Amino acid sequence: EFLYCDLTSMKSIRQFVQQFRAKNCPLHVLVNNAGVMLVPERKTEDGFEEHFGLNYLGHFLLTNLLLDKLKQSGTHSHNARIITVSSATHYVGKLHLNDLQSRCSYSPHGAYAQSKLALVLFTYRLQHLLTANGSHVTANVVDPGVVNTELYKHVFWVVKVVKWMTAWLFFKTPEEGASTTIYAAVSPKVEGAGGCYLYNEERTKSADVAYDEELQRRLWTESCKMVGISDEASRLP
């Protein structure tokens, strides 16, 4: 069943959540998978830089608005699960807390990498808060690998040619790219396990900076301000 949600629009996200709530359904799995890559400098309707607004803030708001549903749906033996799709690009990402919108010096590569690092930081902070609240919900982050999709439509034409020539050898199919996300969503092997970075269905170490708890807290607080929700986490360690 399809419900429309535009992750570049805070209004659309709120409308989607309202429509979903009206169905009075449980919510056992939330997969945050949407994204853009290397788009030219432009803003969402709320004025956010598009990589940061769509890839990160849209998922941040959506997840927070659905958290109570996830908490209601999870049980001790079957946790509800949040899976957020990041990228190996986060390893080279830098989080500029004083310039999250990349206004000072816009780089498509830098903005994309920052948004993917933000997703990892968000997942780790979210799991910390879920654990502190005793919630039966887990949050994990997935690296799907290099997948042959339309995500690459904004790369240079030379890269497109190389991709076209080598995709069969180096790129995963969309089905292969989705495998770790599906693993994180349904596998009994990760039941009750949260705060993990998963690649090829294995727990892997993410970038060192992603484990910086102070940076996680500061990003969370700033994100709450940007999307207009209360930072209830500020009362927790």
Side-chain angles (χ1 to χ4, degrees):
E1 185 173 350
F2 177 81
L3 292 178
Y4 178 81
C5 181
D6 179 357
L7 284 166
T8 65
S9 165
M10 301 294 119
K11 179 180 178 182
S12 177
I13 293 168
R14 292 179 183 277
Q15 289 175 338
F16 164 80
V17 171
Q18 191 174 29
Q19 291 174 335
F20 179 78
R21 286 180 181 280
K23 293 182 174 295
N24 200 29
C25 296
L27 178 57
H28 298 106
V29 178
L30 172 65
V31 177
N32 292 318
N33 183 60
V36 292
M37 184 176 76
L38 308 184
V39 296
E41 186 173 11
R42 59 195 187 198
K43 299 184 186 304
T44 68
E45 70 174 48
D46 300 290
F48 301 123
E49 186 277 314
E50 189 167 339
H51 289 100
F52 197 76
L54 192 163
N55 295 1
Y56 170 66
L57 283 179
H59 292 124
F60 178 86
L61 178 61
L62 179 66
T63 301
N64 273 279
L65 295 181
L66 292 172
L67 265 184
D68 60 340
K69 270 290 181 185
L70 287 154
K71 291 175 180 178
Q72 293 166 14
S73 305
T75 65
H76 178 71
S77 58
H78 290 91
N79 282 247
R81 303 186 188 189
I82 301 167
I83 299 93
T84 298
V85 180
S86 181
S87 161
T89 310
H90 92 275
Y91 286 104
V92 298
K94 294 182 179 179
L95 195 79
H96 301 284
L97 276 170
N98 59 343
D99 186 26
L100 292 171
Q101 303 302 318
S102 304
R103 293 190 179 99
C104 293
S105 178
Y106 182 76
S107 158
H109 295 84
Y112 176 70
Q114 176 178 247
S115 71
K116 291 301 179 178
L117 174 59
L119 289 170
V120 183
L121 289 157
F122 155 67
T123 300
Y124 291 166
R125 180 60 178 167
L126 176 58
Q127 183 58 55
H128 174 82
L129 299 173
L130 291 168
T131 301
N133 283 315
S135 303
H136 297 307
V137 184
T138 58
N140 289 304
V141 61
V142 165
D143 174 0
V146 183
V147 187
N148 189 11
T149 69
E150 287 298 304
L151 192 65
Y152 295 86
K153 65 182 179 181
H154 291 289
V155 300
F156 294 122
W157 69 267
V158 175
V159 179
K160 287 182 180 179
V161 171
V162 173
K163 173 179 174 289
W164 176 75
M165 295 173 63
T166 63
W168 64 274
L169 183 61
F170 297 113
F171 284 64
K172 293 181 178 180
T173 65
E175 290 78 12
E176 291 169 339
S179 65
T180 302
T181 298
I182 295 170
Y183 171 82
V186 301
S187 175
K189 294 181 180 179
V190 288
E191 175 58 48
C196 302
Y197 186 86
L198 301 169
Y199 176 66
N200 283 345
E201 301 182 12
E202 298 285 344
R203 300 181 195 188
T204 307
K205 188 176 181 294
S206 61
D208 289 341
V209 68
Y211 299 103
D212 184 333
E213 294 183 0
E214 178 60 22
L215 189 60
Q216 295 168 15
R217 279 193 291 267
R218 292 176 65 190
L219 174 63
W220 185 281
T221 298
E222 188 61 29
S223 302
C224 288
K225 293 177 184 175
M226 294 172 85
V227 301
I229 60 176
S230 62
D231 183 12
E232 297 177 6
S234 62
R235 296 191 291 272
L236 293 170

